[in-house]
Amino acid sequence: QVQLVESGGGSVQPGGSLRLSCAASGSIISIDVMGWYRQDPGKQRELVAFMSSGGRTNYADSAKGRFTISRDSAKNTVDLEMNSLNPEDTAVYYCNAKRVTITTSSGSRHRYIELWGQGTLVTVSS
């Protein structure tokens, strides 16, 4: 069993900053890509940023210059530093992991194609 647990959401005024963290737990051998998505009610979930195991990053245009993703592959964690937040950034933010390889209880290997965290709410409001 693998879980992604997010933390760090909350309320902040426009122009403020928040740092989101996500930790993957379980008998993890490797994770190819870790990242963050967000979703407003009534809208589709959208990519915010991701980082591959090789360090390649990709940011949504709305996140470029304001958000920074970082990852600790040894600890299976990924963080998202968000600066200059505005009300349009209000959403539930979800941690995402792609191609997660684990060791099962029988000692064999299993690969999850994609996993999601439960989400953490970020509210930007004055």
Side-chain angles (χ1 to χ4, degrees):
Q1 189 84 12
V2 179
Q3 284 189 316
L4 303 181
V5 179
E6 302 108 332
S7 61
S11 296
V12 65
Q13 292 186 338
S17 299
L18 280 176
R19 186 179 184 89
L20 305 182
S21 296
C22 172
S25 63
S27 301
I28 298 170
I29 297 172
S30 64
I31 302 176
D32 188 9
V33 178
M34 295 190 79
W36 292 91
Y37 288 70
R38 68 186 185 187
Q39 187 170 20
D40 280 339
K43 295 185 179 180
Q44 284 191 332
R45 194 170 296 187
E46 62 179 12
L47 172 70
V48 178
F50 71 72
M51 179 179 280
S52 72
S53 57
R56 181 175 64 90
T57 59
N58 188 42
Y59 291 91
D61 287 343
S62 60
K64 289 178 181 176
R66 299 188 301 129
F67 295 1
T68 302
I69 190 169
S70 59
R71 178 178 172 182
D72 187 331
S73 294
K75 296 181 179 179
N76 296 316
T77 60
V78 63
D79 292 347
L80 185 69
E81 181 73 32
M82 304 186 293
N83 298 313
S84 302
L85 287 162
N86 58 62
E88 289 71 37
D89 295 315
T90 296
V92 177
Y93 285 70
Y94 295 91
C95 180
N96 174 270
K98 292 181 172 57
R99 294 178 289 283
V100 181
T101 302
I102 67 164
T103 301
T104 69
S105 57
S106 65
S108 62
R109 290 191 176 191
H110 176 79
R111 172 170 281 192
Y112 292 93
I113 300 301
E114 187 168 50
L115 294 169
W116 293 94
Q118 293 293 318
T120 184
L121 177 63
V122 171
T123 303
V124 185
S125 174
S126 56

